[in-house]
């Protein structure tokens, strides 16, 4: 059974044999791969929910005699939406862990995701360039997997990196690399194709 916290249907629970349940006491685990809705049982459309509502559901889960573990399919903490940073499933996972819940992180920065992609496409690491705007996930994941990386400075770290004239402050950039203990191979402000 499944207590699912997302509107996105990235995992088809019907094909996996899992069911969406309403009561936290009925859940064997929580699947978090979005932050905008709470899954509903019986194939009903996910219900839009605020972060406060989702956090309340997580608190209810954590208060169970045997709290269901959470599987996080996307560990990103935030993403860029326009000029704002919006929470991602990593935020839910951290909140649940702070409540005492057990969390299983899937995806970057664990190298397993890179290893699977390399195996799937039969590509040597020397031919791969990982691109991302999160030093904690994208760039650290590339470092962990031993592949080159391109850090997009205009993403989630933009406000930390840009000087008053809008240019990237190189000193702030180096400090951020040191703080996250990850050094990308390359960096650029935006990805333009």
């Amino acid at each position: 059974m499944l207590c699912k916290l997302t509107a996105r249907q990235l995992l088809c629970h019907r094909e996996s044999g899992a069911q969406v349940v309403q009561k936290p006491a009925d859940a064997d685990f929580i699947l978090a791969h979005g932050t905008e809705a709470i899954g509903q049982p019986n194939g009903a459309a996910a219900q839009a929910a605020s972060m406060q509502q989702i956090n309340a559901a997580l608190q209810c889960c954590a208060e169970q005699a045997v709290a269901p573990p959470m599987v996080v399919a996307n560990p990103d903490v935030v993403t860029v939406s326009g000029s704002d940073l919006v929470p991602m499933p990593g935020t839910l996972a951290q909140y649940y862990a702070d409540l005492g819940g057990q969390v299983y992180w899937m995806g970057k920065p664990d190298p397993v995701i890179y290893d699977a992609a390399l195996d799937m496409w039969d590509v040597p690491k020397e031919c791969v360039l990982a691109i991302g705007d999160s030093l904690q996930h994208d760039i650290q994941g590339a470092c962990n997997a031993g592949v080159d990386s391109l850090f997009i400075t205009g993403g989630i770290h933009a406000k930390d990196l840009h000087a008053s004239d809008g240019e990237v402050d190189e000193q702030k950039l180096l400090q951020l690399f040191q703080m996250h203990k990850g050094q990308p191979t390359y960096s650029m402000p935006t990805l333009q194709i």
Side-chain angles (χ1 to χ4, degrees):
M1 288 175 277
L2 173 69
C3 178
K4 186 165 78 166
L5 301 172
T6 184
R8 299 180 199 151
Q9 298 302 314
L10 296 177
L11 173 72
C12 179
H13 57 82
R14 288 182 197 99
E15 292 176 13
S16 71
Q19 297 175 318
V20 177
V21 297
Q22 189 70 39
K23 299 177 191 170
D26 294 336
D28 292 331
F29 67 97
I30 303 164
L31 174 64
H33 62 89
T35 57
E36 65 281 338
I38 297 177
Q40 299 298 304
N42 303 319
Q47 180 180 5
S50 67
M51 285 297 289
Q52 291 80 11
Q53 290 169 313
I54 294 172
N55 285 342
L58 290 176
Q59 185 167 355
C60 188
C61 289
E63 291 171 352
Q64 298 303 305
V66 178
M70 175 186 278
V71 176
V72 183
N74 178 355
D76 286 345
V77 177
V78 295
T79 191
V80 177
S81 178
S83 61
D84 297 325
L85 294 178
V86 295
M88 292 292 288
T91 300
L92 299 176
Q94 188 57 58
Y95 179 74
Y96 195 62
D98 290 346
L99 293 172
Q102 184 175 12
V103 176
Y104 295 97
W105 301 86
M106 308 299 286
K108 301 172 288 183
D110 192 310
V112 70
I113 199 84
Y114 294 90
D115 294 339
L118 292 168
D119 287 345
M120 185 184 312
W121 290 309
D122 194 28
V123 177
K125 289 182 180 188
E126 303 80 39
C127 296
V128 173
L129 177 67
I131 302 171
D133 68 341
S134 169
L135 287 167
Q136 181 181 3
H137 298 105
D138 304 322
I139 304 307
Q140 189 59 53
C143 291
N144 291 348
V147 300
D148 287 342
S149 61
L150 171 61
F151 174 56
I152 305 301
T153 62
I156 66 170
H157 297 288
K159 291 180 182 175
D160 298 328
L161 294 174
H162 290 90
S164 58
D165 62 2
E167 294 294 317
V168 171
D169 182 317
E170 293 296 325
Q171 186 63 33
K172 290 180 181 178
L173 185 62
L174 293 174
Q175 289 172 347
L176 199 61
F177 292 163
Q178 289 175 345
M179 184 173 80
H180 286 277
K181 299 180 178 129
Q183 179 78 30
T185 314
Y186 311 100
S187 63
M188 62 189 299
T190 61
L191 183 62
Q192 299 175 342
I193 300 174

